[in-house]
Amino acid sequence: VVGTSAIRIGTCGYSYEEWRGVFYPDKLPKGKFLEHYAAEFDTVELNATFYQLPALKSLEGMVRRTPPGFSFVVKAHQALTHQRGKAAEEMLPSFKMALKPFVDGGKLGGVLLQFPYSFKANPPNATYVRELVGRITGAPVIAEFRHKDWFVPDGIAWLKKHAISLCCVDEPELPNLPPPVAEVTGPVGYVRFHGRNRAAWWSPTAPDPSQPIGHDETGGRSPGERYRYHYRPDELEAWVPKVRAMAHEASGQFAFFNNHPEGHAVRNARDLKVLLGESHPR
């Protein structure tokens, strides 16, 4: 269904100790972080599932502790996107089981497949994406590609043909990284703001200087350095018409901030909500 959809704005992850004093009260128990977060934002991208699947009771608790209408986007475990092969086959049943509490609670907004930079556009990889998407049911599946090869016209057309939602990104303009396109290729529109920290993006120790740091790349700085960036108002304002246009075309629209160091993600998520008229200045 094409039509103007609500724009959900949140952050990539929420359980950051360094957000104490910035977003969370200093003495707030970590077990209450989610409730505090959900009092202001109506969606979160759950990143912990990329590294390890929490116990079902923990996931069920997340659903219970958030208000009606709250939406989770669950990042796929790295076995599905980075290891693939046998590791993916072994992980898929457990990952689908981990989605069940969110599906049953009516709070699964989507599943994010974040592929590594080394996962380039070619027929075998395209087949893998299409087949994996087909095996995940219950919510839209969003694909994030870290290499620009997927963002050519043929790649966009392929995503639209198979109704796979593209994760659009804002990040430094560097060789081989995706351009800042705003395309709706599947049921939902999706944007991730990684920050524009050019100096910390590439790995200074990588044999190939075109290799960015990442989960399967060599050397480099920590994600805490890579994503340490605060968007200026004008940088976010440039995205406002794009996000609105995507929301008009999609049945759901998400915008998440991954610049989590020092609480920049929370501040910028608030900024974008104000710019889009989703909330008043704090």
Side-chain angles (χ1 to χ4, degrees):
V1 179
V2 175
T4 302
S5 60
I7 301 171
R8 292 181 180 267
I9 300 167
T11 62
C12 301
Y14 69 88
S15 189
Y16 300 107
E17 282 287 344
E18 66 180 306
W19 287 9
R20 289 187 185 276
V22 178
F23 179 55
Y24 298 122
D26 286 329
K27 295 184 179 180
L28 183 71
K30 195 162 188 179
K32 296 292 185 183
F33 276 15
L34 183 56
E35 289 91 330
H36 186 93
Y37 176 94
E40 180 171 346
F41 298 102
D42 64 359
T43 189
V44 71
E45 193 183 273
L46 200 60
N47 284 344
T49 48
F50 177 86
Y51 302 99
Q52 183 176 353
L53 297 183
L56 279 178
K57 283 188 176 180
S58 176
L59 300 174
E60 289 165 355
M62 290 181 183
V63 173
R64 279 197 314 271
R65 288 156 48 207
T66 48
F70 192 86
S71 181
F72 291 86
V73 174
V74 180
K75 185 186 286 188
H77 191 277
Q78 58 187 329
L80 301 179
T81 55
H82 287 58
Q83 298 161 11
R84 303 185 291 281
K86 182 181 178 182
E89 285 299 320
E90 293 175 350
M91 173 56 63
L92 188 58
S94 298
F95 179 71
K96 292 172 75 170
M97 186 63 68
L99 298 177
K100 193 173 185 300
F102 302 103
V103 174
D104 292 347
K107 293 183 177 179
L108 183 60
V111 174
L112 177 67
L113 304 176
Q114 180 189 292
F115 291 98
Y117 174 84
S118 56
F119 189 78
K120 299 179 181 179
N122 58 47
N125 285 348
T127 298
Y128 181 81
V129 174
R130 181 169 49 80
E131 291 180 350
L132 180 57
V133 169
R135 296 174 70 180
I136 298 173
T137 57
V141 180
I142 303 102
E144 179 179 9
F145 302 109
R146 296 262 168 132
H147 196 281
K148 70 175 184 180
D149 283 0
W150 295 91
F151 290 75
V152 298
D154 283 352
I156 299 296
W158 179 84
L159 289 165
K160 289 181 176 178
K161 176 183 177 182
H162 297 288
I164 300 170
S165 295
L166 173 68
C167 175
C168 303
V169 293
D170 184 283
E171 58 191 15
E173 290 186 18
L174 289 167
N176 297 322
L177 292 188
V181 303
E183 292 275 1
V184 176
T185 59
V188 301
Y190 207 92
V191 183
R192 293 184 99 212
F193 291 87
H194 292 301
R196 302 178 183 180
N197 194 349
R198 293 174 60 94
W201 196 270
W202 299 119
S203 166
T205 59
D208 178 356
S210 71
Q211 291 286 315
I213 57 177
H215 299 295
D216 67 340
E217 316 300 353
T218 55
R221 301 176 173 89
S222 70
E225 292 182 72
R226 187 183 197 183
Y227 299 123
R228 183 175 287 111
Y229 187 84
H230 189 81
Y231 283 94
R232 302 189 312 265
D234 61 298
E235 292 173 330
L236 294 180
E237 284 168 3
W239 274 95
V240 169
K242 297 179 183 179
V243 172
R244 283 187 176 143
M246 292 173 73
H248 187 75
E249 190 177 344
S251 60
Q253 174 64 39
F254 294 91
F256 287 108
F257 285 85
N258 194 33
N259 53 335
H260 55 81
E262 301 172 17
H264 292 310
V266 172
R267 296 189 182 103
N268 283 150
R270 287 170 171 167
D271 293 340
L272 186 60
K273 285 177 74 173
V274 171
L275 289 169
L276 286 164
E278 299 291 314
S279 69
H280 299 292
R282 293 175 65 86

